[in-house]
Amino acid sequence: MTEPGISVIGGGITGASVAYHLSKETDRPVTVYEQRDKLSMETTNKSGAFVGYWGHEPPGRLQMMDYSMRLYNRFLDDAQTNLSYHFSPRLQVATTDDGVANLRERFKQNLGATIEEEGITTGMRRSPVQYLPSNRLAGSFLLPELELGPVMGATYSGNLGHLWPARQAAQEFVLRARENGVSFETGREVTEIVTKGGRVSGLIVDGEEIETDEVICTAGPWNKNILRAVGIDLPLKHTLGPMLVLQPQKESPHSLFSLKHEETGYYMRQNPDGTVFLGNNPGSYESAGTEYDPGDVTNTVPEELRSEGLEVAKSLLPYLEGANVVDEWVGVRSLTPDTEPIIGWTSIQGLSVASFNASGIQLSPCAGKIIANQVVHDEPTAYYESVSVSRFEGYGDYR
Ligand SMILES: Cc1cc2nc3c(=O)[nH]c(=O)nc-3n(C[C@H](O)[C@H](O)[C@H](O)COP(=O)(O)OP(=O)(O)OC[C@H]3O[C@@H](n4cnc5c(N)ncnc54)[C@H](O)[C@@H]3O)c2cc1C
């Protein structure tokens, strides 16, 4: 009797990475079901696609980054690739006393560093991160376009950049997975995971039951609802990720830092095509409190976020005065209680999941490897303790 195939729900970057890694480890047929007509058009395509080190990475995350960076380096080395990488070091700037206090506190907590009052303080993790009071900025970096007046303090993360275009990062996995025989079925919505006696027995796809004994749920912000229907309540929350694409009246001739405003969560980044991303990432799991059905979220950025964001952007980068909004969208970010991803086995045999804390572009390469090892070789992997949902109270140990 032939074994049934392995099924992946969702054709974003995570589903593509999982499919690619499975296809390297097994001869069983692998099928990815994607509800949209095109792959990777949801959270993946709406992402900033930053990859690198902010300075607050715990040891488990560093291990995952190591694998992911090596794999992206291989993709970028491929002469055929349309994927490109652009350095965009981050200055996180505070413009109030409270903002400076928060920035300094986080820097000290994350890096165990003490801060000298007037100097530059450097903390190490995978790459140096610095704290700079405002009076040290102009002497430390060339900062064309940045209005230093309102800035009272900043942290600098140098080893940071972005992949461009974001969707192409996923396509790199899709191309290779297809070469290995993976089937990507678009326009195919999974409406039910069928279970019998605590294990997966099939999927309902567009009304048709498909036999399968291994399902990997990589449906981005849809994961929460899909798994809830089979009795698994993942500790995930959502925030909205609004993005405006600005076309400046006159493009800057300079290469700019990416910026994040500590007090409001707005961030700005110069794109390779001269446009500027203006996004908002308001912060933590504790303050999130909301769950969104991504299917109900429209791509129009709410007016108050649009006007507040544009004000913040112009106050820090005056060259954006008069910039036109040429595109916009709203993505849905998933957040986990400890900011680390949830990857791997669940309480239902044959059902695995991968969900991220707004870091899926960075970490999905390694997520694919972890899931392939668990599903094909029954190996928990060295990452198990830091990524399994079992680390949270109320969830079992699935080894
Ligand atoms: C504004 C914003 C900025 C971000 N910036 C960064 C960043 O700089 N760096 C970073 O690493 N991460 C970033 N992220 C997070 C990152 O984009 C996500 O972690 C990552 O894209 C998740 O990919 P995914 O494949 O898991 O989910 P998705 O890309 O959402 O893919 C899930 C797919 O599943 C499909 N699907 C859902 N339900 C079903 C169903 N029932 N049947 C079939 N298909 C289904 C969906 O249509 C979708 O295509 C950002 C996120 C947002 C919103």
Side-chain angles (χ1 to χ4, degrees):
M1 206 177 80
T2 54
E3 275 188 291
I6 302 176
S7 303
V8 179
I9 308 175
I13 192 166
T14 315
S17 169
V18 165
Y20 163 71
H21 282 88
L22 284 169
S23 72
K24 294 201 322 169
E25 300 294 330
T26 178
D27 292 332
R28 290 176 67 184
V30 177
T31 306
V32 179
Y33 298 100
E34 167 54 48
Q35 63 184 355
R36 304 289 183 230
D37 292 338
K38 262 176 101 175
L39 296 170
S40 310
M41 292 306 285
E42 292 293 337
T43 328
T44 298
N45 195 42
K46 295 175 174 182
S47 155
F50 281 98
V51 175
Y53 295 94
W54 274 261
H56 50 65
E57 293 81 10
R61 169 85 68 109
L62 292 179
Q63 255 186 312
M64 292 188 76
M65 284 295 292
D66 198 300
Y67 180 84
S68 294
M69 298 281 251
R70 286 173 197 278
L71 191 51
Y72 277 134
N73 270 323
R74 280 185 23 218
F75 291 173
L76 291 165
D77 273 349
D78 183 340
Q80 305 295 319
T81 188
N82 293 318
L83 184 67
S84 56
Y85 180 70
H86 304 266
F87 269 111
S88 29
R90 164 69 56 91
L91 273 184
Q92 180 136 351
V93 299
T95 53
T96 61
D97 288 334
D98 283 353
V100 167
N102 289 339
L103 208 58
R104 288 165 59 106
E105 188 50 35
R106 252 199 340 273
F107 178 81
K108 284 195 283 186
Q109 270 179 14
N110 289 335
L111 296 158
T114 48
I115 292 180
E116 303 158 34
E117 265 327 296
E118 295 304 324
I120 301 170
T121 310
T122 302
M124 290 292 290
R125 269 283 155 92
R126 188 57 59 90
S127 74
V129 178
Q130 296 180 327
Y131 172 79
L132 299 102
S134 57
N135 62 358
R136 300 305 302 263
L137 276 164
S140 305
F141 301 108
L142 293 181
L143 298 163
E145 314 292 7
L146 177 64
E147 174 57 57
L148 278 174
V151 178
M152 296 174 65
T155 50
Y156 163 76
S157 309
N159 186 358
L160 199 58
H162 62 277
L163 292 168
W164 180 268
R167 181 170 180 263
Q168 187 58 37
Q171 286 303 106
E172 294 295 321
F173 290 107
V174 173
L175 290 171
R176 289 166 174 81
R178 278 200 172 119
E179 277 170 15
N180 294 348
V182 171
S183 164
F184 288 86
E185 297 193 9
T186 53
R188 300 268 279 156
E189 184 186 6
V190 176
T191 50
E192 194 183 327
I193 298 170
V194 185
T195 61
K196 271 192 199 128
R199 72 157 302 129
V200 168
S201 63
L203 283 182
I204 309 287
V205 185
D206 293 333
E208 175 199 353
E209 178 153 0
I210 289 166
E211 192 194 348
T212 180
D213 62 356
E214 285 290 351
V215 170
I216 299 100
C217 198
T218 58
W222 285 266
N223 274 347
K224 179 117 179 149
N225 273 341
I226 294 176
L227 290 195
R228 191 184 274 140
V230 286
I232 299 172
D233 194 10
L234 291 179
L236 291 173
K237 290 184 182 177
H238 294 146
T239 57
L240 290 184
M243 193 78 90
L244 296 174
V245 185
L246 308 179
Q247 181 69 60
Q249 295 275 347
K250 189 166 172 286
E251 282 176 23
S252 173
H254 309 290
S255 161
L256 307 181
F257 283 87
S258 68
L259 295 174
K260 184 168 181 191
H261 186 230
E262 170 69 19
E263 284 80 356
T264 59
Y266 288 101
Y267 61 93
M268 289 129 255
R269 180 202 68 220
Q270 188 185 42
N271 290 325
D273 64 1
T275 59
V276 171
F277 272 180
L278 169 58
N280 183 254
N281 189 351
S284 67
Y285 183 87
E286 285 71 34
S287 58
T290 329
E291 194 181 313
Y292 294 93
D293 179 342
D296 292 343
V297 174
T298 71
N299 275 321
T300 307
V301 174
E303 185 49 43
E304 69 207 62
L305 284 178
R306 175 189 301 260
S307 51
E308 187 188 38
L310 285 168
E311 279 315 305
V312 172
K314 285 184 295 187
S315 71
L316 294 170
L317 296 173
Y319 90 105
L320 294 178
E321 185 68 48
N324 293 316
V325 176
V326 291
D327 200 0
E328 64 185 287
W329 56 80
V330 182
V332 178
R333 278 192 197 88
S334 303
L335 299 180
T336 63
D338 60 0
T339 76
E340 296 312 298
I342 293 172
I343 302 169
W345 292 316
T346 69
S347 54
I348 296 179
Q349 263 189 28
L351 179 59
S352 304
V353 66
S355 271
F356 298 91
N357 188 88
S359 51
I361 308 295
Q362 302 217 125
L363 299 178
S364 56
C366 192
K369 173 185 144 92
I370 294 169
I371 292 209
N373 273 297
Q374 291 191 354
V375 167
V376 179
H377 303 300
D378 210 26
E379 278 172 18
T381 78
Y383 307 91
Y384 181 86
E385 304 287 346
S386 47
V387 301
S388 170
V389 70
S390 64
R391 70 190 186 274
F392 299 113
E393 215 182 304
Y395 298 87
D397 188 349
Y398 309 123
R399 276 174 289 199

